Amino acid sequence: IGPALSQAAPIIVAVIDTGYTKFEAIPICKGGPKDFTGTGIHDAAPSSHGSNVVGLIAKYAGTTDYCIVPLKVFTSANGQIQFNYRAYLRALEYVNRTRPQFLNLSVSGFTSLKSEFDLIIKILDNGTIVIAASGNNKIDLNKTGCIIYPACTSPRVVMIANSEGNSNIGTYIDAYENGDDQTAGGVTLSGSSQATAIHTGKLVRRAVKAQTGS
C-alpha cells in the first residue's frame, strides 16, 4: 500500500472538497476539519458534495483504525459553488506537510496548473496514495489523451470512473465503481466523485486490515 503505513494508527485520509457538515457518525481526525477559505468548515456546496464524499468514504472504510480530515477549498455565492485556487494550494501544502496515507480528490477540470502539479508529485513521493475522479464529461480519454486534472497529473494517481452514467473513460482509468444514487452526508448524489469516494473507502478498509491483521 505504501511506506506511510509504517506510521502508527489511525490511518489518516485527507479529503479536499467543498467542506463538511456533520450528518452521520464519521471518524474525524483529532483537530477536526480544516478550512482554507476563511469562511468556516461548513459545506459550501448546495448539494453537500463534500459531506457526501466524506460519508461515502466512511461507509466503505468501516468504523475503526482510521480517521478523515476534510479540507475545504470551495466557497459559495448566490447559490453558486466557487473554487478557490489559493485555498486549494494551501490544502495541498498541508497534505504535503502532514503526509496522510490517503488523499481523496473528488474534483476534476481540464487545466493542468504547475503549482498543483508540483505539489501532487511531492505528495505522491511522500508515499501518500492519491485517488482522483475521472470527471463526468463523457470523454474517451484514449482519443483525447489524458486531459483531466488532477487525475492525469501522474500515472501514480489512482483514477476512478463511475461504472454507470457519464464518466470519462479509457485505459487511463484504474478502477470503476458504481457512483450512481449514492447516499451519504444527508444527500444522494451521482458521478465519478462518488465512485472515487467509494474506491477510497475500499482502499482504506484494505489498508486497515493489512495494518491490524483483522
Side-chain angles (χ1 to χ4, degrees):
I1 296 294
L5 289 187
S6 62
Q7 299 176 10
I11 289 168
I12 297 173
V13 187
V15 178
I16 294 179
D17 216 293
T18 62
Y20 172 70
T21 301
K22 183 176 180 180
F23 186 79
E24 61 261 89
I26 301 291
I28 298 297
C29 293
K30 184 178 180 180
K34 308 295 180 186
D35 167 43
F36 293 93
T37 69
T39 61
I41 192 57
H42 63 277
D43 202 325
S47 66
S48 295
H49 185 278
S51 302
N52 179 261
V53 165
V54 168
L56 286 174
I57 292 171
K59 187 174 182 178
Y60 283 83
T63 58
T64 60
D65 297 307
Y66 75 95
C67 67
I68 300 174
V69 54
L71 308 175
K72 180 179 175 179
V73 301
F74 287 81
T75 58
S76 61
N78 301 318
Q80 298 295 317
I81 194 73
Q82 297 180 328
F83 176 63
N84 185 322
Y85 180 57
R86 290 184 178 180
Y88 177 54
L89 291 184
R90 288 195 292 270
L92 288 174
E93 288 167 353
Y94 174 86
V95 173
N96 181 48
R97 184 172 68 253
T98 58
R99 303 191 178 193
Q101 285 86 345
F102 295 94
L103 170 60
N104 186 96
L105 291 166
S106 287
V107 294
S108 64
F110 292 102
T111 304
S112 177
L113 305 165
K114 186 178 187 306
S115 296
E116 172 194 51
F117 180 93
D118 291 345
L119 280 165
I120 289 176
I121 294 300
K122 288 179 180 178
I123 288 165
L124 290 165
D125 287 346
N126 289 339
T128 296
I129 298 168
V130 180
I131 309 99
S134 69
N136 305 306
N137 314 100
K138 297 185 180 179
I139 294 172
D140 184 346
L141 299 175
N142 289 341
K143 297 178 180 178
T144 63
C146 204
I147 58 170
I148 299 298
Y149 297 93
C152 291
T153 299
S154 166
R156 290 183 288 164
V157 175
V158 183
M159 192 190 307
I160 309 301
N162 182 7
S163 60
E164 316 294 326
N166 302 323
S167 275
N168 301 327
I169 60 171
T171 54
Y172 297 99
I173 305 300
D174 293 295
Y176 289 83
E177 301 285 357
N178 184 350
D180 270 12
D181 299 321
Q182 295 296 328
T183 301
V187 295
T188 300
L189 300 177
S190 299
S192 62
S193 288
Q194 285 62 49
T196 301
I198 289 168
H199 196 75
T200 295
K202 290 179 178 180
L203 291 178
V204 173
R205 182 182 285 269
R206 189 183 309 166
V208 167
K209 184 175 180 180
Q211 181 164 281
T212 62
S214 60

